[in-house]
Amino acid sequence: MPDAIEVRKVPIHSVADASELGKLIDEGALHADRVIAIIGKTEGNGGVNDYTRIIADRAFREALIAKGAPEDQVKQIPIVWSGGTDGVISPHATIFATVPPEDVTPSDEPRLTVGFAMSERLLPEDIGRTPMITKVADAVKVAMERAGITDPADVHYVQTKTPLLTIHTIRDAKARGKTVWTEETHLSMDLSNGCTALGIAVALGEIEMPSDDDVMHDRTLYSSVASCSSGVELDQAQVVVVGNATGVGGRYRIGHSVMTDALDQDGIWNAIRDAGLELPERPHTSDLDGRLVNVFLKCEASQDGEVRGRRNAMLDDSDVHWHRQIKACVGGVTAAVTGDPAVFVSVSAAHQGPDGGGPVAAIVDLG
């Protein structure tokens, strides 16, 4: 049986700041050597060359080492950064740590559990094709087992980080006589995320194994729990499975739903309800009563260029990429629900929720 989980959200005061993590450890809320995953938002451009992710990664790993965690252990911790805090979204990190057995709050109810795995190496020619789907699916199954989850219905959030294509990796593939799905490095972000989401959906039985032709084309194929990010930091799929398991104990529980479009506040509220908070029919931010730890969302501009029958110019805008526009929009909608701009809203949601919408996961403190 895996250990119970403590989960806390902290602000990031500057791109290289991890001081709030240090405070949690000093206060005894978390143990440095028990941190098992970190998921956060950094304030860069969210693109291929967003190096704020690397800066934040270094800052948080160095903070853990400085507080006594073994360096070799810290190197293995999955830390997933989503770049870009457009609009009101505020830089922050959500930190997951195991709880010493003597400190666990016992419960017979399902409570939060986390599992982690790394896939086989993803070659540049794999990205966007079925070999990537298979490698991701295999890693998801390993992470589920480590989380103590046997029923896919108990998985509510799968956060991944995968490689995208760069000029260097494209040249590497060509030098070996291989082809790549695209030579547009920014498009490869959407591609890597979407293909990864299909791997998650296959692992959880949400869809049958798709073909190469389905990737980025058949948007009816998606996962309702996938949250996929990509970057230049690694050449494997880094997979964090978050769900609920009976017997682990602890105070926290996770639930999920989907936003059907960019304005679907009900999708967010439904995820919070699914996590176990009782809410009135028409809830208000005050009904959360400090029990919401964080929400995690993916978003995407609808391919028809509309929201609720009204057209928008996001996909035609040559000045500001639609990634930034939809992220700012959904970030504002989410913050209006939670009352807190420190929300995890990530763009590029191909095959993650329905077209124009996206998955929502919510973690709550049930005390």
Side-chain angles (χ1 to χ4, degrees):
M1 181 63 66
D3 291 328
I5 300 295
E6 179 68 33
V7 56
R8 298 292 182 95
K9 181 173 69 176
V10 297
I12 298 175
H13 301 297
S14 67
V15 70
D17 171 59
S19 61
E20 297 292 341
L21 168 61
K23 288 180 183 178
L24 286 178
I25 295 168
D26 290 342
E27 294 166 357
L30 302 174
H31 297 261
D33 60 353
R34 284 184 166 271
V35 172
I36 59 170
I38 298 172
I39 299 171
K41 292 292 300 183
T42 65
E43 59 206 78
N45 61 25
V48 176
N49 65 333
D50 184 353
Y51 297 108
T52 64
R53 298 182 295 233
I54 296 175
I55 295 170
D57 187 276
R58 178 178 296 178
F60 273 72
R61 293 187 196 276
E62 289 177 350
L64 288 172
I65 293 169
K67 294 299 181 181
E71 184 173 353
D72 289 345
Q73 178 181 318
V74 171
K75 287 180 179 179
Q76 302 303 315
I77 295 172
I79 301 182
V80 180
W81 298 108
S82 170
T85 50
D86 303 85
V88 300
I89 300 171
S90 184
H92 69 280
T94 304
I95 303 155
F96 299 82
T98 58
V99 179
E102 62 272 17
D103 296 336
V104 173
T105 303
S107 175
D108 294 328
E109 296 296 318
R111 289 292 183 265
L112 188 72
T113 182
V114 178
F116 165 68
M118 296 290 286
S119 76
E120 293 181 39
R121 184 185 174 208
L122 291 166
L123 301 172
E125 59 266 30
D126 293 341
I127 296 174
R129 294 169 174 157
T130 49
M132 183 179 193
I133 295 173
T134 300
K135 291 177 181 180
V136 169
D138 289 344
V140 170
K141 292 174 183 177
V142 172
M144 283 179 60
E145 183 178 355
R146 291 174 177 172
I149 297 174
T150 56
D151 185 348
D154 291 326
V155 175
H156 294 276
Y157 176 43
V158 182
Q159 179 65 57
T160 63
K161 192 75 175 187
T162 52
L164 44 71
L165 292 168
T166 66
I167 295 300
H168 173 74
T169 58
I170 292 169
R171 286 175 179 167
D172 170 68
K174 288 183 174 181
R176 292 181 288 105
K178 304 295 183 180
T179 63
V180 292
W181 198 94
T182 180
E183 295 189 22
E184 295 183 34
T185 58
H186 199 274
L187 175 61
S188 77
M189 178 183 296
D190 298 333
L191 175 67
S192 181
N193 291 356
C195 194
T196 302
L198 291 174
I200 295 167
V202 168
L204 300 180
E206 295 177 284
I207 63 171
E208 298 296 325
M209 184 69 183
S211 68
D212 283 352
D213 291 340
D214 292 326
V215 178
M216 302 299 289
H217 294 122
D218 187 352
R219 297 300 183 101
T220 67
L221 301 176
Y222 64 81
S223 171
S224 296
V225 298
S227 176
C228 306
S229 294
S230 51
V232 297
E233 305 98 308
L234 70 176
D235 62 1
Q236 297 168 279
Q238 184 173 265
V239 178
V240 181
V241 166
V242 188
N244 297 314
T246 302
V248 297
R251 297 161 38 197
Y252 302 95
R253 186 168 170 174
I254 187 169
H256 80 277
S257 185
V258 296
M259 292 178 73
T260 57
D261 62 34
L263 303 179
D264 183 18
Q265 291 193 11
D266 287 341
I268 304 171
W269 287 116
N270 289 339
I272 297 170
R273 283 191 179 94
D274 191 53
L277 279 192
E278 293 185 8
L279 296 169
E281 183 178 352
R282 294 181 62 83
H284 182 268
T285 303
S286 59
D287 296 314
L288 297 173
D289 195 28
R291 294 294 188 94
L292 180 65
V293 178
N294 205 3
V295 289
F296 306 84
L297 299 90
K298 291 295 292 189
C299 59
E300 181 93 349
S302 178
Q303 291 190 306
D304 64 8
E306 296 184 352
V307 175
R308 302 193 181 182
R310 299 287 193 180
R311 75 177 184 90
N312 58 71
M314 283 188 288
L315 297 177
D316 291 325
D317 196 326
S318 299
D319 296 314
V320 181
H321 195 277
W322 66 263
H323 275 196
R324 310 201 73 164
Q325 298 190 48
I326 193 65
K327 192 189 310 176
C329 168
V330 175
V333 171
T334 306
V337 169
T338 65
D340 182 359
V343 289
F344 186 92
V345 177
S346 176
V347 76
S348 186
H351 300 298
Q352 299 152 78
D355 181 41
V360 187
I363 296 176
V364 301
D365 184 351
L366 296 178

